[in-house]
Amino acid sequence: MVLTDRPVRPVRVGTATRPRVSPARTALVLGAAGVAYRLAALLAGLPPTNSDEAVTGLVASHVAQGREFPLFFYGQHYMGALEAYLAAPLFAVANPGVVALRLPNLALYALFLVLVWQLTRRLYHPWFATAVVGLLALGSDRILKNQLIAGGGYPEMNPAGALLVLLAVLLGLGVVRRRASAFAVFGLVAGLTLWDDWLVLPYVAAAGALLLAGAGRDLAGRGGAALAAGLAVGLLPIVSHNLTAAPEHRSLAAYRQLGGGTPGDWVDRLHGGVLFGLPMGTGFCSPGRCAGWQLWWGVAAPLLLAVAGLLALRALWILRPASLRRGVPRPASPRRDDAARPARIQHGGRLALVGAAAVSLTAYAGSAAAGDTPVESSRYLSCLLVSLPALLWPLWAAAGDHLLPAVTRLAARAGLAAVAGSAVLATGALVADADTLTRADERRRDLVVALDRLGVRHFYTDYWTCYPVVFATRERLACGVIRDDLRAGWDRYPAYPARVARADRVAYVSPTGTALSRAVADRLAATGTPVTRTTVPGYDILLPAAPVGLPLR
């Protein structure tokens, strides 16, 4: 899709001419810089991979080899395996690895920028859309993790949410030539989200409401049929699963179990879900931590969201059709109502972004994860980037409104500068910590070298060490997961621990200094079995001379 706004006309300056600066071209440059930054990070090993991403890589490998075609992430019955299927063609023609696994996600990020620019220029202003693209070109540690790591749904959620809202706006405005195709795409993407990841559902619902309000009349004809057809195709994976799965493995049951945790103290959830979660989840914090001054966004963002919602509601109230007004002496002209239709769609789109963000934030802040694991769980706010234009518009509008007092304009400009500055500093913090962050991958590579030197092909380890090693060695090495209590842990792919259980020579690998390392060492010492101990940076490798009965039954 090409970013276009209007033809660039030359501006005469003296005897020379120069092209007028175009917001579309500027956005294209900023977006290209964002893609280049992420490509450089990807090639540098940032963000570091993890076990969940390795599982996605293994699914992609099995699909590319024609061995298996799972609907979901191995080991669970939720989060569709879409990322693995996107990477499988690359695995079929190139060497499977983290780079090939993440390249489709990089393309999804580029698509997201295009969609956000188009959506924002339709709902707000082209230059504001360009500023939003510039902000999205930056990327903290948390943002790059969400956009590049193939760990289950996050890279594709934002493009999906932005596309659905954009389609609803364009169909409502009547600027789509092939309306049936647009309805079909809307249905297809909406259906796929039910299979892929339910975190984006607030945006699906908001876009659906906007579509119904703006183009509801089309649903009685070809538009409705096309939407139904697209929806049916998109729902095929999840419907086929629910028709064949055991009751406890069906979608509603799986997500009900995920939400079954006991919410912690409301103060912890408010802090972790809003005050800390917003700056961390939307890219204003350093890797794994937020300084006290960075929490300002956790206070400002909800206020801006409320202001944006009130502004959209006020505009819609003023623009309401004459049939909804009381005390109208005579019916207004249909032409006048039709003339107000584009403005109603515009403000309805703004309200859709506000409503989806509010539902997402409220749902997350009410969950146990917000209070228990705020750093990693802040990824659940990933979709708020779709609503970034709605969050920032009150500041942008106030900064340029000359009818407002000068102090108000100055405060708005300071707010915009604080947003940009916070994002730049968070991006810089990631770059500054790059060497430290990539050390984990280097230690895993050293671990594989050590295991090969010892002739070890089968081992037990913790979850976060197991699958990256299996993926990196293309399943040449196999592992089983063992917990700190020395019992079998969560094995997402049972074939691997089955291979380990049949092996005659099994090692025990533990991150150095952990409870698992101490527990394994104590258990082996108690058996009296001779043990070969090898230490590589970050890991202890214990190789007993005979079976020792671990994991415990």
Side-chain angles (χ1 to χ4, degrees):
M1 188 179 296
V2 180
L3 298 177
T4 59
D5 182 26
R6 62 184 62 182
V8 179
R9 298 176 181 176
V11 177
R12 187 173 300 278
V13 181
T15 59
T17 61
R18 61 181 176 86
R20 182 179 298 169
V21 177
S22 163
R25 290 183 178 180
T26 306
L28 186 61
V29 171
L30 293 173
V35 172
Y37 164 55
R38 282 157 179 78
L39 178 60
L42 190 161
L43 296 176
L46 287 174
T49 189
N50 58 39
S51 211
D52 287 346
E53 183 172 43
V55 172
T56 302
L58 291 167
V59 175
S61 297
H62 296 169
V63 171
Q65 296 165 9
R67 288 167 51 184
E68 295 184 53
F69 300 94
L71 289 177
F72 296 101
F73 201 70
Y74 280 149
Q76 60 193 47
H77 297 89
Y78 61 95
M79 288 200 322
L82 179 60
E83 291 167 16
Y85 283 93
L86 292 176
L90 292 178
F91 279 29
V93 299
N95 292 331
V98 173
V99 172
L101 186 59
R102 292 181 177 181
L103 282 177
N105 298 340
L106 182 63
L108 288 170
Y109 164 74
L111 175 62
F112 175 56
L113 291 184
V114 174
L115 294 171
V116 166
W117 193 85
Q118 295 286 2
L119 177 62
T120 306
R121 83 179 185 91
R122 291 281 183 181
L123 295 183
Y124 301 97
H125 186 276
W127 276 114
F128 176 57
T130 300
V132 170
V133 169
L135 193 62
L136 291 174
L138 300 169
S140 69
D141 174 65
R142 180 70 269 163
I143 294 298
L144 261 63
K145 284 179 177 177
N146 292 343
Q147 292 174 345
L148 293 182
I149 292 180
Y154 297 97
E156 61 266 31
M157 281 192 294
N158 285 352
L163 176 60
L164 290 174
V165 178
L166 177 61
L167 284 174
V169 169
L170 295 178
L171 286 166
L173 292 174
V175 297
V176 180
R177 291 183 179 179
R178 299 182 178 179
R179 295 179 66 81
S181 298
F183 276 108
V185 172
F186 188 100
L188 175 66
V189 175
L192 286 174
T193 60
L194 287 173
W195 165 53
D196 192 51
D197 198 310
W198 285 16
L199 283 177
V200 75
L201 285 188
Y203 288 86
V204 177
L210 182 61
L211 183 69
L212 186 63
R217 287 177 293 184
D218 290 344
L219 296 178
R222 291 181 58 193
L227 188 145
L231 187 63
V233 174
L235 289 173
L236 274 177
I238 194 72
V239 169
S240 62
H241 165 74
N242 286 321
L243 289 177
T244 57
E248 65 273 17
H249 293 158
R250 292 171 186 167
S251 299
L252 287 176
Y255 279 99
R256 194 180 298 119
Q257 292 172 4
L258 288 177
T262 303
D265 183 82
W266 70 269
V267 175
D268 292 337
R269 286 184 281 119
L270 184 63
H271 180 274
V274 180
L275 187 63
F276 176 90
L278 277 168
M280 174 59 77
T282 54
F284 291 173
C285 292
S286 304
R289 63 192 184 279
C290 272
W293 67 268
Q294 292 172 315
L295 301 183
W296 73 273
W297 183 242
V299 177
L303 296 177
L304 291 172
L305 196 65
V307 171
L310 290 174
L311 290 175
L313 286 170
R314 179 178 178 273
L316 287 171
W317 178 255
I318 294 173
L319 294 167
R320 69 193 186 279
S323 59
L324 299 179
R325 303 174 191 170
R326 293 183 179 181
V328 177
R330 63 181 182 277
S333 168
R335 292 183 179 179
R336 184 174 301 174
D337 278 347
D338 288 344
R341 179 183 176 82
R344 286 200 296 270
I345 296 297
Q346 180 188 53
H347 291 288
R350 296 179 182 184
L351 187 61
L353 293 181
V354 170
V359 171
S360 298
L361 181 60
T362 302
Y364 173 59
S367 68
D372 295 342
T373 55
V375 174
E376 280 304 314
S377 295
S378 63
R379 67 186 186 275
Y380 297 139
L381 295 177
S382 169
C383 287
L384 292 191
L385 292 187
V386 180
S387 294
L388 190 62
L391 279 167
L392 297 182
W393 178 247
L395 291 176
W396 183 276
D401 191 343
H402 294 286
L403 298 178
L404 293 175
V407 65
T408 303
R409 298 199 305 271
L410 184 61
R413 291 168 185 171
L416 290 172
V419 168
S422 296
V424 168
L425 289 175
T427 302
L430 171 61
V431 175
D433 287 354
D435 290 341
T436 302
L437 294 172
T438 56
R439 213 163 287 161
D441 287 340
E442 294 173 2
R443 288 196 294 263
R444 273 194 291 263
R445 287 193 290 268
D446 292 341
L447 172 62
V448 171
V449 171
L451 291 174
D452 285 338
R453 186 173 62 248
L454 293 169
V456 172
R457 294 291 179 268
H458 306 91
F459 62 100
Y460 287 103
T461 187
D462 67 302
Y463 173 79
W464 295 107
T465 302
C466 180
Y467 289 96
V469 172
V470 177
F471 179 54
T473 61
R474 302 185 193 179
E475 301 177 271
R476 178 170 54 81
L477 303 187
C479 58
V481 177
I482 187 170
R483 303 185 318 211
D484 292 350
D485 62 3
L486 301 183
R487 297 187 181 278
W490 190 13
D491 288 299
R492 287 191 176 273
Y493 195 65
Y496 300 142
R499 279 175 55 186
V500 178
R502 295 192 300 267
D504 296 328
R505 197 164 184 260
V506 176
Y508 295 86
V509 177
S510 310
T512 302
T514 60
L516 176 61
S517 180
R518 292 189 293 270
V520 171
D522 292 344
R523 175 70 181 184
L524 295 183
T527 65
T529 304
V531 174
T532 300
R533 183 186 185 100
T534 303
T535 300
V536 295
Y539 294 98
D540 297 325
I541 305 172
L542 301 180
L543 182 59
V548 293
L550 289 180
L552 300 176
R553 304 299 178 187

